[in-house]
Amino acid sequence: MTNGVFGGDRTKKQSFLGGSCVLLASALVTKIIGALFKLPLTNLLGGGGMGYFSCAYGLFLPVYALSITGLTTAVAKLTAERAALEDHAALRRILKLSLWSFSLMGLLGTGAILLLAKPFCRYVAENPDAYLSVLVLAPAILLGCVSAVFRGYYEGLRTMYPTGLSQLAEALTKLVCGLGLCRYALTHPAVVLRYLPPGTTPLAAASAAAVLGVTLSCAAGTLFLILRHVCIWDGIPALPRQKPSPVSDRALYRALFAVLIPVAAGSLITNLTNLIDLATGMHCLNTAIRKAPVSFAARFADDSAPDPAALANFIFGSFSGLAVTIFNLVPSLTNMFGKGAIPAIAAAHAEQNRSAMQQDSAAAMLATGFLAFPAGLGISVLAQPILQLLYPQRAAEILAAAPSLQCLGPGVIFLALTFPLFSMLQAVGHAPITVRIMGVGVCCKLAGNLLLIPLPRIHIAGAALSTTLCYLVTFLLALYAYQQKTGVKLGIMLFLKPAYGGMLCAAAAAFSYSLLLGRLGNNLALPAAICMGGCVYLFAMWLMGIRLATLRGRT
């Protein structure tokens, strides 16, 4: 093979485990920084402000899914296939065509957000004060499209560092700008409100300021990727040394969109769960509060006759800002195993190497389960202590969010395991089936919300129960589809061992917490209990023969 991307020192190809570890490490650091952003932000804004913040994401995420999410996967898959064939000329054209096409798509997505912001907040979310937060997030669509192309290009070349470093740049910018702007808006409301439309509340302005920090973070990540690409050679031989590519531009477009469309549609359907929560959750809560205002006031409000819209926004903001934030942490980390597996499995599929596909598929699922089972079960049994540690000054929000987080714990496991299955289905050319699978899951989610949220004493926890059901159904269907389409066998022992270890971990952590709480208090008892549970888990997995070598894909 040639130097550079195909074997040189500068951009040496990374194995599945190596690439996944780079992405996992960057995601871990990013999530830590993200927690340093989201936790103080929630403490600053409270349930009401987080209701506005979450409303912005409710509209942003579906548009983001259509215009961005499938881009990285599509570009990575096509780049990996052309790289495996050493078609250097096609690699250059993939990057150029993708940048032109998807920058236009980003402009359209930004325009859609700007046009839909006001009617969405007023008629769908029933939260008109969130309008400003939605508006300032719109440019992130265009910026995200550009960064997604560069990330997919380098991931397809099995160089995960650009993705990891750009995510780090985004996280640091969001931390500094998001918290800084939000704090300024809260401490100088008269100055900020002077430049905003009449009637804007200080809390809505502070939420919009925090969202502006998110948009600026997207700009920082995109700028980093552009500068890196301009300043550092990507390893592809210069044009005079390239052989003409046998693939036309039209064929490259077809190949890109053959992956992009189903992946984007699947991601859209996935993100519709957030939109469903926003629409049905707010509507059902508003209706329930109007029917029984005294009951809700006794549980969540100091006022005996609270404003139904404000109380519904507070409860939903507590659910989305506290419970859902913690719920998303583990799958966002384990998702890196699926992303890291795409180039390796796409290359193995192109080479028709069945044994390599089997090895990498099993490694991706086992590595995901290794982290997901103890984390999900631990979150479920320690939901309230976790919330008390992270949000010590938000007792009312914790009261609203704790039952939901308990119900979301098992959903963490199913969602985390679904990510690599979807990535692998996309890598082997079966992306359309992920759309159908998620369609079934979203139907379960919608039905669950409509049936469970109106029930007395359940309310917003019904959204958590329906989320767990949604991802259980999705995982089972995706597992069946991947095995059927590829012939790869993912035996039940891949899941039983980490599941058994996870139950031991959760039981040890809960027992340790109950013993230590009276002596140490929550802030010390919880970390000690987590450490005890982790030690029990690692020992149990060692006894069952699950070690680092077991998690390794092809090197």
Side-chain angles (χ1 to χ4, degrees):
M1 287 191 176
T2 57
N3 291 332
V5 172
F6 305 100
D9 295 334
R10 188 74 176 262
T11 52
K12 185 177 180 180
K13 288 193 299 182
Q14 295 165 331
S15 68
F16 148 67
L17 185 63
S20 295
C21 287
V22 170
L23 291 176
L24 183 62
S26 69
L28 181 60
V29 175
T30 299
K31 288 303 172 184
I32 291 173
I33 298 173
L36 295 175
F37 165 71
K38 200 69 176 288
L39 298 180
L41 180 68
T42 303
N43 284 312
L44 283 172
L45 293 177
M50 290 306 296
Y52 303 137
F53 191 89
S54 301
C55 184
Y57 271 86
L59 178 59
F60 170 75
L61 288 176
V63 181
Y64 183 96
L66 275 177
S67 57
I68 295 175
T69 304
L71 281 181
T72 301
T73 299
V75 175
K77 180 180 184 297
L78 189 56
T79 301
E81 291 174 346
R82 292 291 101 192
L85 299 173
E86 299 193 20
D87 188 354
H88 305 163
L91 293 174
R92 294 289 193 196
R93 285 159 47 219
I94 289 170
L95 180 60
K96 182 179 178 181
L97 294 173
S98 300
L99 282 174
W100 279 105
S101 303
F102 301 131
S103 294
L104 176 60
M105 184 181 294
L107 282 172
L108 294 175
T110 296
I113 290 281
L114 294 174
L115 290 174
L116 294 174
K118 185 169 285 188
F120 172 82
C121 292
R122 181 175 296 277
Y123 300 112
V124 177
E126 300 184 13
N127 199 357
D129 287 341
Y131 168 61
L132 281 176
S133 297
V134 176
L135 280 184
V136 297
L137 197 57
I141 297 292
L142 172 59
L143 297 167
C145 282
V146 176
S147 64
V149 171
F150 281 112
R151 287 173 179 173
Y153 177 70
Y154 282 103
E155 287 175 19
L157 298 177
R158 302 201 200 183
T159 303
M160 307 300 176
Y161 294 109
T163 295
L165 293 174
S166 66
Q167 289 174 341
L168 181 60
E170 287 184 0
L172 289 172
T173 305
K174 181 167 63 176
L175 175 66
V176 174
C177 296
L179 286 180
L181 291 171
C182 179
R183 192 179 297 275
Y184 182 85
L186 287 172
T187 54
H188 300 81
V191 177
V192 174
L193 293 176
R194 190 184 310 160
Y195 301 97
L196 297 178
T200 302
T201 65
L203 202 56
S207 173
V211 174
L212 178 59
V214 176
T215 300
L216 292 175
S217 74
C218 292
T222 304
L223 181 61
F224 169 83
L225 287 165
I226 293 173
L227 291 176
R228 186 194 184 280
H229 183 75
V230 171
C231 298
I232 301 178
W233 180 50
D234 60 10
I236 306 299
L239 290 175
R241 296 171 52 194
Q242 294 177 359
K243 298 178 182 179
S245 173
V247 184
S248 65
D249 286 355
R250 180 173 295 182
L252 290 175
Y253 268 124
R254 283 199 301 266
L256 275 172
F257 280 95
V259 178
L260 171 64
I261 292 174
V263 172
S267 182
L268 171 64
I269 293 174
T270 302
N271 284 290
L272 283 177
T273 59
N274 299 306
L275 191 58
I276 288 171
D277 276 339
L278 185 58
T280 61
M282 290 290 289
H283 176 74
C284 291
L285 284 171
N286 271 315
T287 302
I289 291 169
R290 291 189 184 99
K291 289 181 179 179
V294 176
S295 173
F296 275 88
R299 292 175 62 191
F300 302 115
D302 297 329
D303 188 357
S304 59
D307 174 44
L311 185 53
N313 179 62
F314 169 82
I315 296 172
F316 182 80
S318 300
F319 166 72
S320 59
L322 279 69
V324 175
T325 296
I326 296 171
F327 165 76
N328 284 328
L329 286 176
V330 177
S332 64
L333 292 175
T334 57
N335 184 31
M336 298 305 108
F337 290 113
K339 287 172 69 67
I342 287 177
I345 291 179
H349 181 67
E351 298 164 359
Q352 297 184 340
N353 188 340
R354 181 62 59 83
S355 64
M357 287 182 60
Q358 174 72 46
Q359 187 178 3
D360 284 337
S361 299
M365 296 305 298
L366 185 57
T368 301
F370 187 87
L371 296 178
F373 278 102
L377 295 174
I379 285 172
S380 189
V381 300
L382 296 173
Q384 186 155 339
I386 291 171
L387 292 171
Q388 289 172 343
L389 177 68
L390 299 178
Y391 309 101
Q393 299 177 345
R394 293 293 177 180
E397 285 86 347
I398 291 171
L399 180 65
S404 298
L405 186 56
Q406 289 177 329
C407 298
L408 285 171
V412 167
I413 301 168
F414 302 131
L415 177 56
L417 292 172
T418 299
F419 275 136
L421 287 169
F422 274 15
S423 295
M424 293 185 295
L425 280 167
Q426 293 155 8
V428 298
H430 291 289
I433 199 170
T434 63
V435 180
R436 297 194 291 271
I437 291 171
M438 273 311 304
V440 176
V442 166
C443 289
C444 294
K445 169 67 178 172
L446 178 60
N449 273 18
L450 293 175
L451 290 173
L452 296 173
I453 294 178
L455 294 179
R457 309 301 299 180
I458 294 181
H459 298 307
I460 198 62
L465 288 169
S466 63
T467 296
T468 295
L469 174 63
C470 166
Y471 290 121
L472 170 61
V473 171
T474 301
F475 163 66
L476 293 175
L477 292 176
L479 179 63
Y480 173 78
Y482 185 68
Q483 295 185 109
Q484 184 186 52
K485 296 297 183 183
T486 63
V488 170
K489 301 300 180 185
L490 300 174
I492 192 170
M493 293 306 294
L494 274 176
F495 309 106
L496 282 183
K497 288 184 177 181
Y500 178 66
M503 287 187 286
L504 292 177
C505 171
F511 180 70
S512 301
Y513 179 79
S514 64
L515 287 179
L516 298 173
L517 178 61
R519 299 178 181 179
L520 301 179
N522 184 72
N523 289 354
L524 293 177
L526 180 60
I530 292 172
C531 290
M532 181 62 69
C535 291
V536 170
Y537 178 69
L538 292 175
F539 182 67
M541 297 303 283
W542 180 79
L543 289 177
M544 289 185 288
I546 307 297
R547 300 176 177 84
L548 179 61
T550 315
L551 306 179
R552 186 177 293 119
R554 285 181 298 149
T555 58

